[in-house]
Amino acid sequence: MRVLISGASIAGPVLAYWLSRHGFEVTVVERAPQLRKTGGHAIDLFGPAMGIAEKMGVLDAVMSHATGTERIIFHRRGARRPAQIDYHKLSSALSDRHVEIMRDDLSEIFYDAGRDAVEYLFGDHITAIGADGTVTFARGAARQFDLVIGADGLHSGVRQLVFGADSGHEEFLGAYLAVVSVPKSLARDGEMAGFIDVDRTAMIYTADHLDDARAVFIFRPVNDFHYDHRDTPGQQRQLTDRFAGMSAEVDRWLTELGGTPTFYFDAITQLQLTSWSRGRVTLVGDAGYCPGPAVGGSTSLAVIGAYVLAGELQRAGGDPAVAYPAYERVMREPVLGARALAKSMAKNILPSSPLGIRALIVAGQLISVLPTRVTAVLAGLNSKGIRLYDSIEVPQYQLSDV
């Protein structure tokens, strides 16, 4: 069976790898002319997703690209000294098996794992999907596929083509995320440091293998503004207006906006589709069920979803009428849990009062001083909260030809 996947970030390459292992003929189309180097932020990969990476034979590569963060430093208005949080103890509270890695690095690792068995078409995108499986591309000739899968992110073109007016079931969680590439000299190895204030946080970090540092901004706008995800100048103006004067260091990071080689900006928005499939088309990862960038563990969800979708297609002999509902049944509870967790995290990581800021820092410091075994036990009692991703049960699928 011929399968077309749109998107070569995280879910797309993982899905392509497993579909090819199951005997499908796989093509991936990616709008960018090459693998994206967006300057994106560090992401977290939790237990079950780490297990899938291990099955793919890339766990050592993943671990070798860990950011190496050891501590988090918070400066806040009115405090005599900065607050320090032990990152290793914090991550141990979140998961028994976890790595922080740059999104671009993880994408390249997954791509390399399966690229020899998969056809990749860069610099093109889907413009139409016919009922008979005929796919029209912006640049290449039309081709026919048995299945079409959108793995093209929060702003999925496949979702818009297939779901039309129904593609917009989403909820803005009230904040925006921006990542700016800045000189590496502005950050310290092993340290994520920054400034926290009411409704806004600015942090900076780097990693040994990076040539730059990443300044990360999360904020709620003071006034509503029209957000266009393609309007980079407008996004940079909004960012400057919101953070200018926060501190001399933050002002220095903002001066890089004019010449930064990479810039990321997006609304922290949650998709709330009730179904991700129509006919021969389905969605995976952020394209179908983004819980919210930076707050919902969407990368782990995308890896798990891609693995499950490939496995259910193998079990169903490639029949979408059987495989797609099975895939949605497996993923529904994790997706609903991720939505609830993301809404809670969006509130907690961006406090709306000085008291909330202090509570967030005190919680982090408490984790830092308690023995790891104690925080792990306490966190383990909350499988629907911070331990959600460790609690996801992933089915086992046998490799066989379709």
Side-chain angles (χ1 to χ4, degrees):
M1 292 188 72
R2 292 166 298 178
V3 182
L4 176 64
I5 301 169
S6 175
S9 180
I10 301 294
V14 173
L15 177 61
Y17 173 90
W18 287 108
L19 285 177
S20 67
R21 292 292 306 276
H22 289 310
F24 290 83
E25 182 181 335
V26 184
T27 298
V28 179
V29 61
E30 166 58 50
R31 182 187 290 263
Q34 56 192 8
L35 277 185
R36 293 178 185 267
K37 296 293 183 181
T38 61
H41 54 290
I43 54 87
D44 298 294
L45 209 60
F46 296 107
M50 295 275 284
I52 293 168
E54 187 171 27
K55 289 176 182 288
M56 295 172 69
V58 299
L59 187 60
D60 287 346
V62 169
M63 297 305 297
S64 70
H65 284 81
T67 60
T69 301
E70 298 177 352
R71 58 193 171 276
I72 301 174
I73 306 294
F74 277 121
H75 299 266
R76 62 186 176 92
R77 185 177 300 175
R80 288 182 296 177
R81 61 178 64 90
Q84 181 167 312
I85 296 171
D86 186 320
Y87 178 78
H88 292 298
K89 286 192 174 182
L90 178 63
S91 61
S92 295
L94 297 174
S95 175
D96 291 329
R97 196 181 191 191
H98 163 269
V99 66
E100 182 186 61
I101 182 173
M102 303 307 296
R103 185 179 184 87
D104 289 349
D105 290 337
L106 186 62
S107 175
E108 186 170 7
I109 290 168
F110 285 146
Y111 165 76
D112 286 341
R115 64 177 179 175
D116 291 340
V118 174
E119 177 189 24
Y120 275 87
L121 305 175
F122 287 98
D124 209 345
H125 64 276
I126 299 170
T127 58
I129 304 171
D132 64 348
T134 299
V135 176
T136 304
F137 297 95
R139 297 182 60 185
R143 294 169 60 177
Q144 195 161 26
F145 295 90
D146 299 295
L147 304 172
V148 179
I149 301 169
D152 45 349
L154 177 60
H155 305 289
S156 169
V158 171
R159 187 178 73 248
Q160 293 168 16
L161 285 173
V162 176
F163 285 76
D166 291 336
S167 69
H169 288 279
E170 57 186 42
E171 180 179 349
F172 174 52
L173 299 187
Y176 293 86
L177 167 70
V179 185
V180 182
S181 175
V182 301
K184 187 164 185 162
S185 59
L186 298 179
R188 295 180 179 178
D189 289 341
E191 182 176 288
M192 177 179 287
F195 301 81
I196 185 168
D197 199 355
V198 172
D199 289 336
R200 59 178 182 167
T201 297
M203 306 290 290
I204 193 170
Y205 64 94
T206 188
D208 287 344
H209 65 283
L210 292 180
D211 296 327
D212 64 350
R214 305 290 163 85
V216 181
F217 303 86
I218 304 178
F219 68 98
R220 295 188 183 94
V222 175
N223 300 303
D224 291 338
F225 74 102
H226 174 70
Y227 168 60
D228 179 348
H229 74 274
R230 292 189 175 90
D231 179 16
T232 298
Q235 296 162 7
Q236 293 185 347
R237 287 193 300 272
Q238 175 68 20
L239 189 63
T240 299
D241 290 345
R242 191 67 181 88
F243 283 90
M246 187 178 194
S247 75
E249 290 92 334
V250 173
D251 286 344
R252 171 67 182 87
W253 306 343
L254 292 172
T255 64
E256 296 296 324
L257 283 172
T260 183
T262 51
F263 175 72
Y264 172 91
F265 188 103
D266 211 344
I268 299 179
T269 300
Q270 181 175 106
L271 285 181
Q272 297 180 339
L273 295 175
T274 56
S275 174
W276 320 308
S277 310
R278 286 195 178 176
R280 70 180 68 243
V281 181
T282 194
L283 306 169
V284 65
D286 283 358
Y289 35 84
C290 177
V295 295
S298 61
T299 303
S300 289
L301 201 64
V303 171
I304 295 168
Y307 176 77
V308 169
L309 175 55
E312 294 300 337
L313 280 167
Q314 183 271 328
R315 278 183 177 175
D319 184 354
V322 176
Y324 289 172
Y327 155 60
E328 294 196 14
R329 282 194 298 272
V330 173
M331 293 302 298
R332 188 163 306 282
E333 185 174 347
V335 167
L336 291 176
R339 288 176 185 171
L341 176 61
K343 289 183 178 181
S344 174
M345 289 294 291
K347 294 178 181 178
N348 293 333
I349 68 170
L350 201 59
S352 56
S353 69
L355 182 61
I357 293 172
R358 180 165 179 76
L360 176 66
I361 291 175
V362 167
Q365 291 176 318
L366 182 61
I367 290 173
S368 297
V369 299
L370 286 174
T372 300
R373 64 182 183 276
V374 174
T375 58
V377 169
L378 293 175
L381 300 176
N382 191 8
S383 63
K384 301 298 183 182
I386 61 174
R387 280 286 177 132
L388 170 70
Y389 288 98
D390 263 22
S391 69
I392 295 175
E393 295 184 6
V394 180
Q396 300 301 310
Y397 300 101
Q398 297 298 318
L399 291 173
S400 64
D401 291 337
V402 175

mmCIF file of all heavy atoms in Angstrom, residues 19 41 386 396:
data_model
loop_
_atom_site.group_PDB
_atom_site.id
_atom_site.type_symbol
_atom_site.label_atom_id
_atom_site.label_comp_id
_atom_site.label_asym_id
_atom_site.label_seq_id
_atom_site.Cartn_x
_atom_site.Cartn_y
_atom_site.Cartn_z
ATOM 1 N N LEU A 19 5.880 2.517 9.540
ATOM 2 C CA LEU A 19 5.112 2.019 8.395
ATOM 3 C C LEU A 19 6.010 1.248 7.430
ATOM 4 O O LEU A 19 5.622 0.197 6.905
ATOM 5 C CB LEU A 19 4.433 3.182 7.667
ATOM 6 C CG LEU A 19 3.201 3.786 8.338
ATOM 7 C CD1 LEU A 19 2.686 4.972 7.529
ATOM 8 C CD2 LEU A 19 2.089 2.741 8.496
ATOM 9 N N HIS A 41 12.726 25.374 20.518
ATOM 10 C CA HIS A 41 13.118 25.234 21.908
ATOM 11 C C HIS A 41 13.423 23.783 22.259
ATOM 12 O O HIS A 41 13.181 22.858 21.472
ATOM 13 C CB HIS A 41 12.001 25.766 22.800
ATOM 14 C CG HIS A 41 10.674 25.131 22.524
ATOM 15 N ND1 HIS A 41 9.965 25.375 21.373
ATOM 16 C CD2 HIS A 41 9.921 24.249 23.247
ATOM 17 C CE1 HIS A 41 8.834 24.683 21.394
ATOM 18 N NE2 HIS A 41 8.788 23.992 22.508
ATOM 19 N N ILE A 386 1.286 15.515 36.543
ATOM 20 C CA ILE A 386 2.647 15.617 36.039
ATOM 21 C C ILE A 386 3.238 14.275 35.622
ATOM 22 O O ILE A 386 4.202 14.239 34.860
ATOM 23 C CB ILE A 386 3.568 16.307 37.065
ATOM 24 C CG1 ILE A 386 3.632 15.504 38.367
ATOM 25 C CG2 ILE A 386 3.114 17.717 37.332
ATOM 26 C CD1 ILE A 386 4.637 16.058 39.354
ATOM 27 N N GLN A 396 1.766 -3.257 22.110
ATOM 28 C CA GLN A 396 2.900 -3.873 21.426
ATOM 29 C C GLN A 396 2.426 -4.394 20.071
ATOM 30 O O GLN A 396 1.382 -5.037 19.972
ATOM 31 C CB GLN A 396 3.472 -5.013 22.263
ATOM 32 C CG GLN A 396 3.970 -4.583 23.639
ATOM 33 C CD GLN A 396 5.059 -3.526 23.553
ATOM 34 O OE1 GLN A 396 6.039 -3.679 22.817
ATOM 35 N NE2 GLN A 396 4.890 -2.440 24.307
#
